[in-house]
Structures are given as structure tokens and as C-alpha cells.
Amino acid sequence: MIPHVGIDLGTTFSCVSFLDENGIPVIIRSSDGQQTTPSVIWYDGKVAYVGKKANDRKLQVNSPIYEFIKRDIGKKVAHRYVINGWDFGACGMSAVILKKLKMEAFYHFKKKGWLSPDDTIQNLIIPAVITVPAYFGSKERHETKLAGNAAGFEVIAIINEPTAAALTYGFNLSDSKKILVFDLGGGTFDVTILQIGNGEAKAIASDGADQLGGKDWDAIIENYLFAEFERQTQNEIPDDMSWELQKQALESKYQLSENPEASIFLNASGSNAEITLYREREEDDFAFYGDGLSALDEDNKFYFEERSENLLTLCKAIMHSMLEKAKLTWNDIDDIVLAGGSSRMPMIPKMLENISGKAIRRNIPGYNFDTAVSQGAALYGRNTNRVIDISSKSIGIEVKQAGKPIIEHLIKKNTPLPFRITDTFPAEENAVLLVYEGESTNPVDCILRGRLELGNPSGQVIVGLAIDISGVIYATVEANGAKAQLKIKSDDDDIDFKELKEKIDLIDIRL
Ligand code: AMP
């Protein structure tokens, strides 16, 4: 029997692991020798490369490099993702990344001697738990599951990334604790509170933002580099140097996580500029300023932490609102756990210590930022009935109130999963069942997840809504004695799974 795998399908990095005979999560290293695989695809016209090899190509302008794919999942993408001449959405591209991870797992298991001679990459179906940001709605989860299936996995469950990180941190603690997981990745921010320990876990509340992550911190540095280069040289940085600029910005962000300052040398349009970035304003800087350092020089200095203030305020606001809704205060939280690469920026634990009044452990033995989510997913696979996750969004149906359409929520956000409910409504002529996801009672502010024409039912209509352990919604309608299943479909682009699978099978991925 091959073990199931736990997959962190990240915006910037992905990771795959499995549980060994002792129940310890083991990371499957990529063929490049790394624990994680950049979620980047490069298609050279014949062959697709996923991970480091694709990432290394980024500096070659005009190469079709695809990244941050996860930001588009569940959405209709405006730009094109093309491989083998086929247009893919983010679901298809995620399947390409997952297929590469499956290949790594396949070769790892083969080396261990766990496969039979008949097993091939194509025909071996590997059971998998895949993680997604907690704020992901039903459609994003559904598409992630489809991507997993198209890549040749049997998807046991889709679980929330902070829940997975929490499992790695605390599943085997000897006493139960209330922990808050602060998960700031490359493109997304999630925060979740869980009760965990003694081999059990239960999520209590979660919230987040789908367009907030390391990329936004990168942009702060990039914008400064653009402006400062122009100020120093009176020249603009040309468009074809934007990759270089992004790379330098990223490198200096990493440096600022380790050092109080980072220096960059930029050469463009025949001019040079040396630009220094500072992590934070030192006491001395204030003193200097007071001693008459020109206001202009001081204004131009780049203090990363100060310039990130708006982003930090957003994180704080999301946490406050979540605590308030869960009727908890910081005093109720025993531990704060950091997850996601961007939590490595020193300003993150500093901000958390300031608002919570709690010391944050930066180095927890056995807990690695980059791999904790994937390891937790592997742990979940063997403990499905000892972990309770929650719904990240409220789900409701449209009803009329005084002639006005409003949403009646049948499943509330933060409901333990799985869950099902039925409700009865009087029949109307030309009735249509509309299922929405979102917190507002105004349909305009929510996302339509499914639509079913009911015709002219008589008597009563019984609506059933269910949400499975992966957070995927199902709806049924019973009217005139007949039952119909409502397909929760993508807004207007339905994914044909069979066709997707055939295409993914045909894509030649080079390790
Ligand atoms: P994740 O999606 O969890 O893999 O997080 C990736 C994000 O974390 C990217 O935006 C990275 O630039 C960022 N990141 C990773 N390591 C560091 C670090 N040492 N300092 C600052 N940001 C980092």
C-alpha cells in the first residue's frame, strides 16, 4: 500500500510529504534537491518545466513563465495560460504543478520499493490531502480538487492551510491549547483559531484576505526603487528591466529579514544608482532628524516597517474582527503560531507581540515554515475523524422579502464540517433556485454559486444544502415529488474534467 501524500499547493511555493511508518511527516525533496518547489511553470514550446528550472528562467525576457496561478483559481482569467497550444485556466495550470509533485512522489515511492512493476506515473493513483487558504470558497476548493484529480491524485480532502500548519505545530501536544495561526503567504493572508492537542483539533474561527501577501510587500520596495532610481539619475528604469528590478526588490526584502539594512546597485539606461533600504528607523535617526538633518534626505530614506504600516493595519483589522465575532480576546489565546513565508519578516512577530502582549516563539523545534502546511496535510490524511475544520463562508439562497431579493443564510460561516440542512419554501411560478456564498444579505455583494430553474412547482419546495469536509457545497431541490441535484458551477466557464485530464496526461513535464 502506498501512503497518502499531503500537498501544500502554494501561490509561490509548493511542497509534498507523506507519513512514515511511525506517523512522522516526511518531506519528499524535489529532483532539484529542495524541500519546496516554486509554483512556477515554464513551457519551452515542447516541454513543461515546473519549479526551480522554470523559476531560473524568469530573468530571460519573453519566456512564457507562468506564476501566481493560485490567485486566479475559481476565477475567469483575463490573460492566457497556454501549454501545447491549449488554453488553460488556473485549474488546469494547478494540475500541471500537481502532476510534477505526483511525479516526485512516484519516483520517491519507487526508490523505496513500494511500487509494483506495473505501476506507472499515468496509472498509479496516489491518495492526497491538498491544502487551500482558509478564505477559499466552494468554487476555488472544487477547482483545486479537480486539478488534483486531473493530475492523478485521489483527493481525500481539501483542508485549510492554517489548520494544516496548526496540526504540525500542536496535534501531538500533551495538553489542549487554543492557538491562533497567523499565515501570511506570497499572495494571501489567513488567520485561524483552533483548539488543539492530545491528537485532536477543532477549528473555531477563521478569516483572511485573498489579495494580501508577500507580493504587496515586494511592491512597496519595487515602487521605491523605481522612484529613487529616477530621483538619483533623472532616468526612468525601462520596462524590459522590470524582472531585474523585481528580483532585486525580492532579494532586498529577504535581506531585510536578516539585516537592518540592504543595499542595491541598479544600472539602467546608462546610469547607475546605489540605493540603501533600512528595516526600521533607529533611535539615532530620530536624533539626527532633530539635529537638523534635512527633511528632504529624511523623507527619502526607506524604512521598510514604516512603509508597510498600511498592510500591517489591514492584518490587524482582520484579526480584531475575527476575535470579536468569535467572542474571544487575546487573553483567551494560549499560543500564536506563524505560518507562510512572509511571517519571516521581523515586523510580523513584532506587530503580533505588540497587539497580543504575548511572546512569540520564532524557532519551534520540528516546525518549519516552508513545510509545516504540507506536513500537516499528511497528518490529516491519517486522522480525518479527529480533526474538525470549519466553513470559511456563509452559504444562502435568494428569497423575496417584500418583493425585494435578499439572501437567507442556511449555513453560517465557521460552521463545523461536514454539515447539511434542509428548508421548506412555498412554491412560486417560474421559480429559480439561486445559491450564494458570502456574508451579506444583499445578493449583489455575494457570489452566485449555482442556479436551477424549477419550472412551476406546486405545493412546497424542499431545498437541501450540504457542505462536505473539503468545504465544497452541494444543493438539492425537491419539488412535485422529484429531486434535482444542483450543479455548483464556475460562473460561466464550466470545466470539462475528462478533457482536462486527457490534456494534463499528454503534457510532457521534465523533472
Ligand atoms: P508561501 O506562499 O507561504 O510560500 O510564502 C511565500 C512568500 O514568503 C513570498 O512572498 C516570499 O517572498 C516570502 N518570504 C519567504 N521567505 C521570506 C523571508 N525570509 N523574508 C521575507 N519574506 C519571505
Side-chain angles (χ1 to χ4, degrees):
M1 258 270 285
I2 50 159
H4 64 264
V5 293
I7 299 175
D8 171 6
L9 181 62
T11 309
T12 43
F13 289 95
S14 295
C15 180
V16 53
S17 45
F18 68 96
L19 287 196
D20 71 7
E21 339 40 282
N22 304 315
I24 309 288
V26 177
I27 296 135
I28 299 175
R29 281 184 179 270
S30 77
S31 44
D32 302 300
Q34 314 286 316
Q35 290 193 324
T36 58
T37 295
S39 305
V40 180
I41 302 173
W42 170 46
Y43 180 62
D44 74 356
K46 290 194 185 76
V47 174
Y49 296 85
V50 179
K52 187 173 180 306
K53 289 192 182 70
N55 212 23
D56 290 347
R57 285 273 152 179
K58 268 206 254 178
L59 291 181
Q60 295 187 345
V61 184
N62 296 335
S63 287
I65 304 279
Y66 302 112
E67 57 179 341
F68 306 118
I69 292 155
K70 184 166 152 184
R71 284 186 161 186
D72 290 335
I73 208 150
K75 300 191 181 98
K76 197 170 164 54
V77 287
H79 48 271
R80 293 176 49 169
Y81 292 120
V82 185
I83 294 187
N84 277 10
W86 298 313
D87 271 347
F88 285 107
C91 174
M93 295 302 272
S94 300
V96 174
I97 297 172
L98 288 166
K99 182 174 167 183
K100 138 94 174 174
L101 299 178
K102 184 189 165 191
M103 288 164 75
E104 303 282 14
F106 177 90
Y107 289 120
H108 189 88
F109 295 161
K110 195 177 166 107
K111 231 186 314 173
K112 292 261 180 198
W114 294 342
L115 304 187
S116 82
D118 298 336
D119 288 328
T120 64
I121 290 183
Q122 218 78 290
N123 73 16
L124 182 77
I125 305 287
I126 302 178
V129 175
I130 305 178
T131 60
V132 293
Y135 72 84
F136 258 23
S138 175
K139 190 159 106 189
E140 292 84 352
R141 288 163 195 270
H142 175 66
E143 286 196 8
T144 305
K145 201 169 175 179
L146 277 188
N149 291 333
F153 290 108
E154 177 211 339
V155 182
I156 309 169
I158 300 288
I159 66 163
N160 293 333
E161 286 160 11
T163 302
L167 293 178
T168 304
Y169 171 78
F171 192 64
N172 293 318
L173 287 175
S174 50
D175 48 323
S176 182
K177 286 183 167 182
K178 205 169 259 112
I179 65 170
L180 180 140
V181 185
F182 182 97
D183 180 1
L184 188 63
T188 54
F189 170 54
D190 276 322
V191 56
T192 299
I193 299 172
L194 301 101
Q195 188 72 42
I196 194 161
N198 298 320
E200 289 197 335
K202 187 174 182 305
I204 297 168
S206 88
D207 218 321
D210 64 348
Q211 296 291 333
L212 179 61
K215 272 288 284 170
D216 301 294
W217 271 264
D218 298 347
I220 292 175
I221 302 181
E222 285 163 23
N223 291 340
Y224 177 73
L225 294 185
F226 259 116
E228 183 60 10
F229 184 84
E230 203 179 326
R231 195 185 71 87
Q232 284 190 23
T233 69
Q234 275 79 54
N235 278 325
E236 278 189 23
I237 295 182
D239 281 351
D240 64 2
M241 274 197 65
S242 62
W243 276 126
E244 176 63 22
L245 186 95
Q246 280 178 24
K247 188 177 155 256
Q248 296 247 31
L250 190 68
E251 274 169 12
S252 51
K253 180 179 79 170
Y254 280 67
Q255 269 192 40
L256 289 174
S257 291
E258 305 299 323
N259 307 308
E261 59 181 78
S263 281
I264 286 179
F265 187 73
L266 273 177
N267 173 297
S269 312
S271 311
N272 295 322
E274 198 179 340
I275 302 173
T276 305
L277 310 171
Y278 301 88
R279 184 197 287 167
E280 60 191 312
R281 199 187 288 265
E282 302 286 339
E283 294 279 317
D284 284 358
D285 295 329
F286 287 109
F288 266 132
Y289 191 56
D291 284 351
L293 184 82
S294 97
L296 182 67
D297 281 357
E298 191 52 33
D299 282 350
N300 278 324
K301 264 187 144 180
F302 179 93
Y303 297 111
F304 193 30
E305 303 201 341
E306 284 179 18
R307 297 204 186 213
S308 307
E309 209 48 63
N310 287 348
L311 297 175
L312 294 173
T313 302
L314 260 174
C315 295
K316 284 191 262 190
I318 290 169
M319 286 189 288
H320 277 307
S321 118
M322 183 189 65
L323 282 167
E324 206 174 280
K325 276 187 236 151
K327 298 190 173 61
L328 294 171
T329 67
W330 286 107
N331 288 338
D332 299 311
I333 307 294
D334 297 307
D335 278 340
I336 296 174
V337 177
L338 299 177
S342 301
S343 294
R344 283 215 174 92
M345 294 184 292
M347 68 178 91
I348 297 298
K350 200 159 116 184
M351 172 271 286
L352 287 165
E353 283 180 344
N354 276 339
I355 54 166
S356 71
K358 286 175 205 303
I360 298 188
R361 290 162 68 196
R362 265 97 166 160
N363 294 309
I364 301 165
Y367 181 88
N368 175 335
F369 271 70
D370 296 322
T371 58
V373 169
S374 151
Q375 290 169 295
L379 273 168
Y380 178 86
R382 204 178 281 176
N383 297 287
T384 40
N385 47 14
R386 310 192 69 184
V387 180
I388 297 175
D389 221 336
I390 47 179
S391 65
S392 59
K393 305 237 159 64
S394 298
I395 302 154
I397 58 171
E398 187 177 301
V399 294
K400 294 259 175 355
Q401 206 174 67
K404 228 178 97 208
I406 63 147
I407 292 179
E408 183 174 329
H409 287 117
L410 297 185
I411 301 178
K412 289 258 162 43
K413 176 183 167 130
N414 292 337
T415 296
L417 303 178
F419 182 80
R420 68 169 300 124
I421 185 169
T422 53
D423 209 344
T424 308
F425 298 89
E428 284 174 24
E429 273 180 31
N430 297 322
V432 182
L433 176 71
L434 298 166
V435 178
Y436 283 90
E437 205 171 52
E439 307 316 308
S440 170
T441 51
N442 185 349
V444 177
D445 300 328
C446 295
I447 301 170
L448 181 65
R449 283 304 191 212
R451 176 190 173 87
L452 189 71
E453 310 279 341
L454 302 180
N456 292 309
S458 54
Q460 298 214 303
V461 176
I462 303 166
V463 174
L465 278 186
I467 180 162
D468 68 9
I469 52 167
S470 298
V472 176
I473 316 168
Y474 300 86
T476 52
V477 181
E478 236 179 294
N480 300 342
K483 205 169 188 171
Q485 179 101 22
L486 174 63
K487 195 164 173 205
I488 304 294
K489 59 176 226 164
S490 312
D491 278 348
D492 38 10
D493 55 340
D494 242 337
I495 295 165
D496 179 335
F497 176 71
K498 201 165 153 273
E499 190 188 316
L500 177 67
K501 172 106 181 73
E502 278 166 13
K503 287 178 178 168
I504 299 297
D505 280 350
L506 286 171
I507 292 175
D508 187 2
I509 296 179
R510 200 62 53 84
L511 289 185

mmCIF file of all heavy atoms in Angstrom, residues 10-13 183-187 213-215 218 250 253-254 257-258 340-342 344-345 370, ligand 1:
data_model
loop_
_atom_site.group_PDB
_atom_site.id
_atom_site.type_symbol
_atom_site.label_atom_id
_atom_site.label_comp_id
_atom_site.label_asym_id
_atom_site.label_seq_id
_atom_site.Cartn_x
_atom_site.Cartn_y
_atom_site.Cartn_z
ATOM 1 N N GLY A 10 1.064 25.980 -2.935
ATOM 2 C CA GLY A 10 1.199 27.394 -2.548
ATOM 3 C C GLY A 10 1.201 28.347 -3.736
ATOM 4 O O GLY A 10 1.440 27.934 -4.869
ATOM 5 N N THR A 11 0.951 29.624 -3.452
ATOM 6 C CA THR A 11 0.981 30.637 -4.511
ATOM 7 C C THR A 11 2.396 30.759 -5.069
ATOM 8 O O THR A 11 2.582 30.888 -6.275
ATOM 9 C CB THR A 11 0.567 32.012 -3.939
ATOM 10 O OG1 THR A 11 -0.655 31.843 -3.246
ATOM 11 C CG2 THR A 11 0.371 33.036 -5.039
ATOM 12 N N THR A 12 3.372 30.707 -4.188
ATOM 13 C CA THR A 12 4.752 30.876 -4.650
ATOM 14 C C THR A 12 5.566 29.572 -4.558
ATOM 15 O O THR A 12 6.411 29.328 -5.388
ATOM 16 C CB THR A 12 5.471 31.970 -3.839
ATOM 17 O OG1 THR A 12 5.140 31.785 -2.479
ATOM 18 C CG2 THR A 12 5.042 33.348 -4.271
ATOM 19 N N PHE A 13 5.295 28.770 -3.521
ATOM 20 C CA PHE A 13 6.000 27.503 -3.366
ATOM 21 C C PHE A 13 5.006 26.388 -3.065
ATOM 22 O O PHE A 13 3.992 26.626 -2.419
ATOM 23 C CB PHE A 13 6.988 27.552 -2.190
ATOM 24 C CG PHE A 13 8.170 28.414 -2.463
ATOM 25 C CD1 PHE A 13 8.190 29.737 -2.057
ATOM 26 C CD2 PHE A 13 9.281 27.909 -3.130
ATOM 27 C CE1 PHE A 13 9.283 30.551 -2.322
ATOM 28 C CE2 PHE A 13 10.379 28.713 -3.390
ATOM 29 C CZ PHE A 13 10.389 30.027 -2.993
ATOM 30 N N ASP A 183 -1.066 33.238 9.152
ATOM 31 C CA ASP A 183 -0.498 32.646 7.949
ATOM 32 C C ASP A 183 -0.439 33.689 6.833
ATOM 33 O O ASP A 183 -1.452 34.002 6.211
ATOM 34 C CB ASP A 183 -1.378 31.450 7.537
ATOM 35 C CG ASP A 183 -0.876 30.763 6.280
ATOM 36 O OD1 ASP A 183 0.145 31.179 5.725
ATOM 37 O OD2 ASP A 183 -1.524 29.780 5.863
ATOM 38 N N LEU A 184 0.752 34.230 6.612
ATOM 39 C CA LEU A 184 0.931 35.242 5.560
ATOM 40 C C LEU A 184 1.846 34.664 4.485
ATOM 41 O O LEU A 184 3.029 34.463 4.705
ATOM 42 C CB LEU A 184 1.531 36.516 6.160
ATOM 43 C CG LEU A 184 1.606 37.731 5.241
ATOM 44 C CD1 LEU A 184 0.228 38.197 4.800
ATOM 45 C CD2 LEU A 184 2.322 38.883 5.944
ATOM 46 N N GLY A 185 1.226 34.360 3.332
ATOM 47 C CA GLY A 185 1.988 33.712 2.254
ATOM 48 C C GLY A 185 2.459 34.715 1.228
ATOM 49 O O GLY A 185 2.669 35.891 1.529
ATOM 50 N N GLY A 186 2.598 34.246 -0.018
ATOM 51 C CA GLY A 186 3.057 35.108 -1.089
ATOM 52 C C GLY A 186 1.929 35.987 -1.619
ATOM 53 O O GLY A 186 2.152 37.115 -2.029
ATOM 54 N N GLY A 187 0.721 35.446 -1.613
ATOM 55 C CA GLY A 187 -0.383 36.202 -2.191
ATOM 56 C C GLY A 187 -1.616 36.277 -1.315
ATOM 57 O O GLY A 187 -2.596 36.935 -1.672
ATOM 58 N N GLY A 213 -0.472 39.687 0.590
ATOM 59 C CA GLY A 213 0.610 38.738 0.843
ATOM 60 C C GLY A 213 1.954 39.342 0.497
ATOM 61 O O GLY A 213 2.055 40.544 0.199
ATOM 62 N N GLY A 214 2.984 38.505 0.497
ATOM 63 C CA GLY A 214 4.350 38.951 0.259
ATOM 64 C C GLY A 214 4.489 39.850 -0.966
ATOM 65 O O GLY A 214 5.282 40.794 -0.968
ATOM 66 N N LYS A 215 3.691 39.549 -2.003
ATOM 67 C CA LYS A 215 3.741 40.360 -3.234
ATOM 68 C C LYS A 215 3.498 41.836 -2.946
ATOM 69 O O LYS A 215 4.069 42.708 -3.596
ATOM 70 C CB LYS A 215 2.649 39.891 -4.211
ATOM 71 C CG LYS A 215 3.063 38.783 -5.132
ATOM 72 C CD LYS A 215 4.038 39.223 -6.204
ATOM 73 C CE LYS A 215 3.416 40.008 -7.343
ATOM 74 N NZ LYS A 215 4.434 40.602 -8.227
ATOM 75 N N ASP A 218 6.571 43.222 -1.606
ATOM 76 C CA ASP A 218 7.525 43.386 -2.718
ATOM 77 C C ASP A 218 7.240 44.697 -3.445
ATOM 78 O O ASP A 218 8.161 45.437 -3.804
ATOM 79 C CB ASP A 218 7.384 42.254 -3.754
ATOM 80 C CG ASP A 218 7.697 40.887 -3.174
ATOM 81 O OD1 ASP A 218 8.244 40.826 -2.065
ATOM 82 O OD2 ASP A 218 7.378 39.880 -3.843
ATOM 83 N N LEU A 250 12.989 41.649 -4.353
ATOM 84 C CA LEU A 250 12.749 40.432 -3.567
ATOM 85 C C LEU A 250 13.974 40.092 -2.723
ATOM 86 O O LEU A 250 13.868 39.796 -1.532
ATOM 87 C CB LEU A 250 12.425 39.279 -4.534
ATOM 88 C CG LEU A 250 11.919 37.999 -3.909
ATOM 89 C CD1 LEU A 250 10.535 38.223 -3.310
ATOM 90 C CD2 LEU A 250 11.835 36.876 -4.948
ATOM 91 N N LYS A 253 14.237 42.334 0.154
ATOM 92 C CA LYS A 253 13.235 42.009 1.190
ATOM 93 C C LYS A 253 13.768 40.875 2.070
ATOM 94 O O LYS A 253 13.676 40.935 3.295
ATOM 95 C CB LYS A 253 11.909 41.601 0.530
ATOM 96 C CG LYS A 253 10.824 41.254 1.538
ATOM 97 C CD LYS A 253 9.503 40.879 0.878
ATOM 98 C CE LYS A 253 9.524 39.459 0.359
ATOM 99 N NZ LYS A 253 8.191 39.001 -0.076
ATOM 100 N N TYR A 254 14.335 39.845 1.421
ATOM 101 C CA TYR A 254 14.897 38.731 2.191
ATOM 102 C C TYR A 254 16.036 39.229 3.087
ATOM 103 O O TYR A 254 16.145 38.832 4.237
ATOM 104 C CB TYR A 254 15.412 37.633 1.245
ATOM 105 C CG TYR A 254 14.331 36.728 0.719
ATOM 106 C CD1 TYR A 254 13.354 37.215 -0.142
ATOM 107 C CD2 TYR A 254 14.259 35.385 1.073
ATOM 108 C CE1 TYR A 254 12.345 36.398 -0.626
ATOM 109 C CE2 TYR A 254 13.249 34.559 0.588
ATOM 110 C CZ TYR A 254 12.304 35.070 -0.263
ATOM 111 O OH TYR A 254 11.313 34.267 -0.724
ATOM 112 N N SER A 257 14.995 40.820 6.207
ATOM 113 C CA SER A 257 14.526 39.894 7.251
ATOM 114 C C SER A 257 15.693 39.468 8.136
ATOM 115 O O SER A 257 15.506 39.066 9.273
ATOM 116 C CB SER A 257 13.881 38.653 6.627
ATOM 117 O OG SER A 257 12.671 38.999 6.014
ATOM 118 N N GLU A 258 16.915 39.547 7.569
ATOM 119 C CA GLU A 258 18.105 39.112 8.312
ATOM 120 C C GLU A 258 18.912 40.285 8.867
ATOM 121 O O GLU A 258 19.496 40.176 9.946
ATOM 122 C CB GLU A 258 19.049 38.300 7.398
ATOM 123 C CG GLU A 258 18.417 37.095 6.714
ATOM 124 C CD GLU A 258 17.897 36.079 7.721
ATOM 125 O OE1 GLU A 258 18.554 35.892 8.754
ATOM 126 O OE2 GLU A 258 16.812 35.514 7.460
ATOM 127 N N GLY A 340 3.516 30.543 6.698
ATOM 128 C CA GLY A 340 3.650 31.326 5.467
ATOM 129 C C GLY A 340 4.977 32.070 5.453
ATOM 130 O O GLY A 340 5.409 32.618 6.467
ATOM 131 N N GLY A 341 5.620 32.087 4.301
ATOM 132 C CA GLY A 341 6.957 32.657 4.170
ATOM 133 C C GLY A 341 7.057 34.097 4.637
ATOM 134 O O GLY A 341 8.073 34.510 5.192
ATOM 135 N N SER A 342 5.987 34.875 4.419
ATOM 136 C CA SER A 342 6.078 36.302 4.733
ATOM 137 C C SER A 342 6.079 36.572 6.237
ATOM 138 O O SER A 342 6.442 37.670 6.665
ATOM 139 C CB SER A 342 4.933 37.061 4.073
ATOM 140 O OG SER A 342 4.985 36.875 2.686
ATOM 141 N N ARG A 344 8.138 35.547 8.029
ATOM 142 C CA ARG A 344 9.562 35.635 8.388
ATOM 143 C C ARG A 344 10.032 37.076 8.507
ATOM 144 O O ARG A 344 11.100 37.336 9.034
ATOM 145 C CB ARG A 344 10.393 34.952 7.317
ATOM 146 C CG ARG A 344 10.357 33.459 7.402
ATOM 147 C CD ARG A 344 11.728 32.920 7.003
ATOM 148 N NE ARG A 344 11.802 31.499 7.189
ATOM 149 C CZ ARG A 344 11.509 30.641 6.240
ATOM 150 N NH1 ARG A 344 11.126 31.073 5.066
ATOM 151 N NH2 ARG A 344 11.606 29.357 6.473
ATOM 152 N N MET A 345 9.243 38.010 7.987
ATOM 153 C CA MET A 345 9.664 39.411 8.123
ATOM 154 C C MET A 345 9.541 39.775 9.601
ATOM 155 O O MET A 345 8.472 39.600 10.199
ATOM 156 C CB MET A 345 8.753 40.313 7.279
ATOM 157 C CG MET A 345 8.885 40.067 5.788
ATOM 158 S SD MET A 345 7.895 41.214 4.805
ATOM 159 C CE MET A 345 6.233 40.691 5.207
ATOM 160 N N ASP A 370 8.287 26.531 5.886
ATOM 161 C CA ASP A 370 8.082 26.210 4.481
ATOM 162 C C ASP A 370 7.386 24.877 4.272
ATOM 163 O O ASP A 370 6.809 24.639 3.225
ATOM 164 C CB ASP A 370 9.438 26.160 3.747
ATOM 165 C CG ASP A 370 10.094 27.526 3.751
ATOM 166 O OD1 ASP A 370 9.367 28.515 3.623
ATOM 167 O OD2 ASP A 370 11.329 27.585 3.907
HETATM 168 P P1 AMP B 1 4.393 30.977 0.925
HETATM 169 O O1 AMP B 1 3.248 31.267 -0.030
HETATM 170 O O2 AMP B 1 3.990 30.629 2.279
HETATM 171 O O3 AMP B 1 5.406 30.061 0.321
HETATM 172 O O4 AMP B 1 5.159 32.370 1.106
HETATM 173 C C1 AMP B 1 5.952 32.880 0.119
HETATM 174 C C2 AMP B 1 6.155 34.345 0.411
HETATM 175 O O5 AMP B 1 7.000 34.488 1.541
HETATM 176 C C3 AMP B 1 6.806 35.093 -0.727
HETATM 177 O O6 AMP B 1 6.192 36.354 -0.893
HETATM 178 C C4 AMP B 1 8.228 35.233 -0.243
HETATM 179 O O7 AMP B 1 8.854 36.378 -0.815
HETATM 180 C C5 AMP B 1 8.024 35.394 1.247
HETATM 181 N N1 AMP B 1 9.201 35.044 2.040
HETATM 182 C C6 AMP B 1 9.788 33.836 2.142
HETATM 183 N N2 AMP B 1 10.872 33.897 2.938
HETATM 184 C C7 AMP B 1 10.971 35.188 3.342
HETATM 185 C C8 AMP B 1 11.884 35.913 4.177
HETATM 186 N N3 AMP B 1 12.942 35.314 4.728
HETATM 187 N N4 AMP B 1 11.655 37.230 4.389
HETATM 188 C C9 AMP B 1 10.603 37.846 3.810
HETATM 189 N N5 AMP B 1 9.720 37.233 3.021
HETATM 190 C C10 AMP B 1 9.894 35.923 2.781
#
